Amino acid sequence: MPPRLNLRAASRSLAIRPRPSMVPHQPRITQVVARRAYATDKEQPKTPNEAPLGHVSEEAADLGKVMGETEPDIGQGTSVQEILKRDQEGKEKAPEVIKEGIETPSKNTSQTNTVAHRLALGDLENVSAEPVGHKFGLPELPLPSNANLHYRYDPVVDQVTNLLMQHGKLSVAQRNMSFILNHLRTSAPPKTNPLRPLLAGSPPASHLPLNPILYLTLAIDSVAPLLRIRSQKGAAGGGNALQIPVPLGQRQRRRTAIMWILDAASKKKSRGSGKTQFAQRVADEIISVVEGKSNVWEKRGLVHKTGTSARANLMFGQKRRRIAS
Amino acid sequence: MSTSTTCWKCLSRPSLLSSQLSSRIAQVTVSAPFSSTATSLAPPLIRGNNGPQKGVKGTTAIKKKNRPQQTGKPPMPGERKALRKRVVLSNTNAIEVQDLVDLNQETVDGLLKENASGEYTSPVAGKVVGLPGTTVDSLRAIESFKTSQGWGLFRRPSLLVRKEAIDLTKSLVSAAKDQITQRLIIDGARGTGKSLMLLHAQAAAFAQGWVVINIPEARELVSATSDYAPIPDTMPQLWTQPTFTSSWLEKIQKANKTQLDTLKMTKKHNLPIEVPSEISLSRFLEIGVSDTDVAWPIFQAFWDEMNAKDRPPMLLTMDSTSYVMGMTEYRDKAINFIHSHDFVITKLFMDLFSGAIKMNNGGAVIAATSRSNSPTSISMDLAIMQALQRQAGEKLTRRNPFERKYDERVDSALRDITVMELSGVSKAEARSLMEYWAASGVLRQRVDEQIVAEKWALAGNGVIGEIKRNALNMRI
């Protein structure tokens, strides 16, 4: 992070110093000499805290030395234009001469100092033309979709984990999720039921246990409803609710399916004891979904059936709007 | 009780006179002289809706909810716990890894080959080896496999042969050859593979035809969950745990059956019951299994027999050792806690550690500490630290003069032990382990140098339990 520059310190020490022509291997000792000397011996500071601050770049260099960061090259000096470029308030209050300088930046202030420029001049030696400074290289672009911190896990696993969570205890939910996935890969391959077809193009059942995330995703996506039924109060006349089918997005569909599975699991009875019992029941429910035994399929069928019979109500809102206009 | 009416020792109010008391009782009995009707003849109380009583507010008690009737057969006693403690050693979904070498006698011999610079040159060094079926049965009998070690993910149990494991195997082989008793404590941070190092020692011992005796969890010795009895005429008083000893004998007999069937009784023993002579040691142990009262004398006789001439070496192992480095939960006649070294099984281990007892045919006694859920024994920790410093040729840490909780008996038992300090595995070992996981189809990831380095670094420089947690457990 570049050190913060304040204008007071800047204006206090705006030393008009001639920028040395490119002398890259100038020894450090000259920089010490170049520092502002004290007018009299009396004014010499007794403690390091009493010493007046150097100009901006010197201060930045000192700070960089303390913080272990790369310090600016003092030999270069910092041009006032560069400081003011970052400071809007200072720019407005700056003298006219400097203002003019900002508007017409001289070419030699910045461009001549770039590594590329100096490389082209053959000024720098022992520096390869390839980009340096990357310890582990640059990442390959485009970045993978899970490169973002917040999307590093599989979306289905992430969603199930969050829905498993109770009382904000994410770690417990993660442990349960881990148990579920491990249970899926250690239990026998499911025997699928042709009456309850899974998603088209799904792999054979024998391939599922070794890919538990696919197993879970397949169970959830296969049983996820396409729509939900919204009950519009009083819209059917006589105070009756009108059922209107509403299409769901992918995440909403999955959410509905997961909640059905979790509800079914919580109604089951656990056979063993210990803290993994709920996870065990959820895993068993997922297996029974893939095997077509779960009651979640009935729920899905009911929603779809209601949706089919209520599709006449789809135009409900639009009709009213037309009448109003 | 004194008959004086006033309390002569204090200034409290005098208690009621006995005469006054009796008169009061008489008053009570005569208070309702006319009611001679038995309560059973009274008209029954009318229950039900009598309407709210005038002037009495109705209670706002919460109505009890109708709980759903439990249907189905409830689990049998112990069934739920058995389900929890069940050790699964195979996953039929996992892919069988081809050309996996078994850890048998031949492999163990080959492990010890070194080159000139002291590096192990065996082809299985730093690789994963499978455990043969007989060894697996024996290890299961002595309860070496634990539920948390992830055995249930793979087709068959297998082990990583790390460098320390070869060192340990080497010391076992030399102990058998020179007929000495190796004394070793395995220590290390949590998840560094201490219990698995014990398991490796046991597997190597079974492969070489040793007799292996194991205490899988030292807590069972001290938690006062099994019965105990004093041994008469012992000074200081010693105690036995008959039921524990009996079930221990059963495990020993089951695990070492092939070996013990071939060994016959040779000595005469002073036993409280008649034992047919010239029976096999396996049969002899069965007597102790059936009768808990003679379990300890039978074990003593068994120990004598095993130390007779031309018997196989023995390996004694114990896990979570810090439990037996202090007081137990058992109490003596004066209701004081009994020291764990006063129990004969623990005493046997401690005598072996201190060098008071030796095994005549060679062998080893190995204990592993537990760093996750076990009591702290500052004496044991100091002994381990000093042993490590002694091994490294450093200056020994002195005991804290302001600390009272040192245990003299632990100090003397662990005075000159050898300690194996475990830390993370090397990157090469981590890689071969992860390649085995990937070959089993359990780790669905490319295993290359970068991934291995990442997992290795994330696991605290190769702490193996953490690598497993990170890569295998799917904790996401």
Side-chain angles (χ1 to χ4, degrees):
Chain A
M1 197 185 84
R4 212 174 144 194
L5 304 170
N6 72 353
L7 194 69
R8 276 187 67 199
S11 61
R12 187 178 60 214
S13 59
L14 280 180
I16 309 298
R17 68 179 70 233
R19 223 161 16 80
S21 58
M22 284 175 284
V23 192
H25 301 298
Q26 198 174 22
R28 258 298 136 92
I29 194 150
T30 54
Q31 289 160 14
V32 176
V33 173
R35 283 201 175 202
R36 191 156 77 178
Y38 298 105
T40 59
D41 279 348
K42 267 184 190 172
E43 281 178 52
Q44 277 203 355
K46 279 136 202 144
T47 61
N49 291 343
E50 283 178 36
L53 292 168
H55 74 76
V56 191
S57 302
E58 280 170 1
E59 191 185 331
D62 287 341
L63 194 69
K65 207 176 277 174
V66 173
M67 306 290 281
E69 293 164 356
T70 40
E71 50 208 77
D73 190 2
I74 295 173
Q76 299 277 324
T78 312
S79 71
V80 182
Q81 285 85 357
E82 264 182 51
I83 297 165
L84 291 178
K85 211 179 277 175
R86 282 169 274 174
D87 193 339
Q88 195 56 44
E89 198 188 341
K91 206 192 230 171
E92 285 160 13
K93 290 177 182 168
E96 283 299 316
V97 186
I98 293 175
K99 273 186 187 169
E100 281 170 21
I102 295 168
E103 273 147 28
T104 54
S106 59
K107 210 182 174 189
N108 58 348
T109 45
S110 55
Q111 289 178 4
T112 49
N113 291 333
T114 57
V115 175
H117 186 79
R118 288 166 73 174
L119 263 177
L121 289 178
D123 206 14
L124 291 178
E125 283 172 17
N126 302 328
V127 177
S128 63
E130 285 171 25
V132 287
H134 306 295
K135 194 173 176 185
F136 300 107
L138 288 170
E140 279 173 31
L141 293 174
L143 289 172
S145 60
N146 61 352
N148 188 305
L149 163 73
H150 300 293
Y151 306 105
R152 58 188 146 168
Y153 300 137
D154 184 88
V156 175
V157 174
D158 217 23
Q159 198 174 6
V160 178
T161 309
N162 284 344
L163 289 172
L164 269 175
M165 177 160 60
Q166 283 187 317
H167 316 301
K169 294 185 178 180
L170 181 60
S171 176
V172 175
Q174 283 170 334
R175 189 176 63 212
N176 284 341
M177 194 67 236
S178 162
F179 182 92
I180 290 168
L181 294 176
N182 277 333
H183 187 87
L184 291 182
R185 60 178 171 181
T186 50
S187 54
K191 293 180 193 72
T192 48
N193 183 356
L195 296 176
R196 301 282 192 207
L198 300 172
L199 275 189
S202 60
S206 59
H207 290 202
L208 290 178
L210 279 184
N211 194 350
I213 295 180
L214 177 70
Y215 197 155
L216 179 77
T217 313
L218 185 63
I220 290 168
D221 280 352
S222 300
V223 86
L226 291 164
L227 46 92
R228 74 182 170 92
I229 304 297
R230 182 164 69 92
S231 289
Q232 182 71 37
K233 258 189 201 167
N240 293 333
L242 186 68
Q243 292 183 318
I244 304 164
V246 181
L248 294 176
Q250 190 192 39
R251 202 173 153 82
Q252 290 171 310
R253 295 179 57 205
R254 281 179 180 160
R255 182 181 189 279
T256 317
I258 296 165
M259 292 312 286
W260 284 345
I261 289 172
L262 293 185
D263 281 347
S266 63
K267 278 175 196 148
K268 275 188 174 181
K269 217 175 131 190
S270 54
R271 285 176 290 120
S273 62
K275 54 188 172 183
T276 55
Q277 283 312 295
F278 183 63
Q280 168 104 44
R281 282 179 282 154
V282 174
D284 287 343
E285 189 64 31
I286 288 165
I287 294 170
S288 70
V289 164
V290 174
E291 292 188 336
K293 292 177 189 163
S294 172
N295 274 338
V296 174
W297 286 102
E298 314 286 336
K299 284 193 182 176
R300 179 184 195 258
L302 198 68
V303 168
H304 283 192
K305 206 174 157 191
T306 320
T308 315
S309 62
R311 62 187 158 187
N313 304 337
L314 264 175
M315 304 299 283
F316 167 69
Q318 290 164 16
K319 244 182 228 169
R320 172 168 285 188
R321 236 177 281 140
R322 214 172 292 154
I323 291 162
S325 64
Chain B
M1 202 181 135
S2 97
T3 50
S4 72
T5 52
T6 50
C7 178
W8 58 272
K9 270 192 181 172
C10 61
L11 295 169
S12 65
R13 211 141 35 120
S15 57
L16 279 175
L17 281 174
S18 57
S19 57
Q20 285 172 329
L21 200 67
S22 61
S23 69
R24 270 197 180 188
I25 291 164
Q27 276 171 11
V28 169
T29 46
V30 299
S31 62
F34 49 84
S35 168
S36 58
T37 318
T39 47
S40 59
L41 293 177
L45 283 170
I46 300 160
R47 297 204 175 208
N49 195 7
N50 292 347
Q53 263 183 296
K54 223 179 182 182
V56 179
K57 269 193 173 177
T59 55
T60 54
I62 297 161
K63 221 177 159 187
K64 264 192 183 173
K65 270 187 189 170
N66 281 339
R67 285 197 148 188
Q69 280 290 316
Q70 293 283 344
T71 50
K73 210 173 80 179
M76 297 294 285
E79 194 182 320
R80 282 147 43 98
K81 187 180 179 184
L83 207 64
R84 197 170 70 234
K85 300 284 176 195
R86 190 179 46 156
V87 178
V88 181
L89 293 182
S90 178
N91 177 11
T92 46
N93 296 326
I95 301 161
E96 181 139 30
V97 179
Q98 299 301 317
D99 48 73
L100 195 65
V101 181
D102 272 0
L103 187 70
N104 49 25
Q105 172 80 59
E106 200 182 326
T107 321
V108 170
D109 291 341
L111 272 183
L112 309 177
K113 281 177 199 150
E114 289 177 44
N115 63 13
S117 56
E119 286 165 359
Y120 296 115
T121 55
S122 164
V124 295
K127 296 280 183 304
V128 175
V129 292
L131 295 175
T134 51
T135 307
V136 170
D137 292 342
S138 295
L139 288 171
R140 198 194 254 282
I142 55 172
E143 295 177 8
S144 271
F145 298 112
K146 297 189 176 178
T147 48
S148 58
Q149 288 165 340
W151 302 106
L153 290 176
F154 303 97
R155 185 53 83 94
R156 52 181 284 214
S158 41
L159 278 179
L160 172 70
V161 182
R162 52 199 282 196
K163 190 182 163 294
E164 293 89 344
I166 306 180
D167 291 340
L168 182 59
T169 314
K170 204 174 161 188
S171 74
L172 291 186
V173 170
S174 73
K177 205 170 125 199
D178 307 337
Q179 301 205 329
I180 52 168
T181 309
Q182 289 281 359
R183 298 168 290 156
L184 187 70
I185 286 192
I186 301 173
D187 190 34
R190 183 180 162 181
T192 44
K194 300 180 289 294
S195 297
L196 278 177
M197 191 57 70
L198 271 192
L199 195 134
H200 178 95
Q202 289 156 357
F206 278 125
Q208 295 175 94
W210 289 30
V211 168
V212 181
I213 298 172
N214 184 32
I215 301 277
E217 185 62 46
R219 184 184 184 165
E220 290 169 22
L221 288 170
V222 300
S223 62
T225 46
S226 67
D227 53 346
Y228 67 118
I231 299 180
D233 308 325
T234 47
M235 193 65 203
Q237 180 71 62
L238 294 178
W239 304 78
T240 57
Q241 288 151 301
T243 312
F244 182 89
T245 314
S246 167
S247 64
W248 195 44
L249 289 184
E250 189 179 7
K251 288 176 203 164
I252 296 170
Q253 191 263 341
K254 259 190 193 167
N256 304 292
K257 193 162 191 308
T258 45
Q259 190 65 261
L260 295 181
D261 276 342
T262 60
L263 305 175
K264 293 268 184 284
M265 297 270 287
T266 51
K267 290 184 178 177
K268 267 276 165 209
H269 300 284
N270 185 19
L271 288 171
I273 52 164
E274 279 294 314
V275 172
S277 59
E278 296 264 332
I279 54 171
S280 72
L281 284 182
S282 169
R283 179 76 200 87
F284 179 59
L285 285 183
E286 277 172 8
I287 298 169
V289 173
S290 55
D291 190 352
T292 54
D293 289 341
V294 294
W296 178 247
I298 293 268
F299 180 80
Q300 277 178 312
F302 170 72
W303 184 262
D304 282 351
E305 288 288 343
M306 286 306 295
N307 280 304
K309 243 182 164 227
D310 298 332
R311 300 287 197 190
M314 273 188 292
L315 173 68
L316 274 81
T317 49
M318 181 187 264
D319 206 344
S320 304
T321 314
S322 67
Y323 275 104
V324 292
M325 299 296 173
M327 290 294 178
T328 62
E329 302 279 311
Y330 292 101
R331 293 182 187 258
D332 63 6
K333 259 186 212 166
I335 321 293
N336 297 321
F337 287 116
I338 306 173
H339 196 275
S340 65
H341 295 190
D342 287 333
F343 281 89
V344 280
I345 295 176
T346 314
K347 188 170 180 292
L348 173 74
F349 275 86
M350 291 306 139
D351 286 346
L352 283 165
F353 270 119
S354 66
I357 296 180
K358 288 199 165 48
M359 296 184 228
N360 293 345
N361 300 303
V365 54
I366 307 176
T369 61
S370 167
R371 293 294 178 201
S372 47
N373 184 20
S374 60
T376 317
S377 165
I378 53 170
S379 285
M380 188 186 78
D381 289 350
L382 182 73
I384 287 173
M385 192 194 284
Q386 286 182 340
L388 285 173
Q389 286 162 343
R390 205 180 303 124
Q391 282 157 221
E394 292 168 6
K395 203 179 152 199
L396 298 194
T397 306
R398 295 225 201 115
R399 57 192 291 171
N400 181 359
F402 302 106
E403 179 61 64
R404 289 182 304 162
K405 289 180 182 170
Y406 287 112
D407 193 317
E408 298 293 335
R409 301 178 68 173
V410 175
D411 288 342
S412 60
L414 305 180
R415 187 144 291 152
D416 53 343
I417 41 157
T418 318
V419 173
M420 173 188 275
E421 172 95 35
L422 288 183
S423 54
V425 294
S426 69
K427 272 187 192 165
E429 287 163 350
R431 179 166 191 161
S432 64
L433 187 65
M434 284 170 70
E435 275 168 356
Y436 168 73
W437 292 346
S440 298
V442 181
L443 178 69
R444 299 179 62 84
Q445 203 170 14
R446 197 178 66 233
V447 179
D448 60 11
E449 200 178 340
Q450 193 187 349
I451 300 280
V452 171
E454 180 194 309
K455 302 282 183 205
W456 186 86
L458 277 177
N461 288 4
V463 173
I464 201 160
E466 294 297 321
I467 298 180
K468 182 215 157 208
R469 208 171 110 101
N470 187 351
L472 209 55
N473 278 7
M474 303 203 88
R475 195 192 162 93
I476 45 178

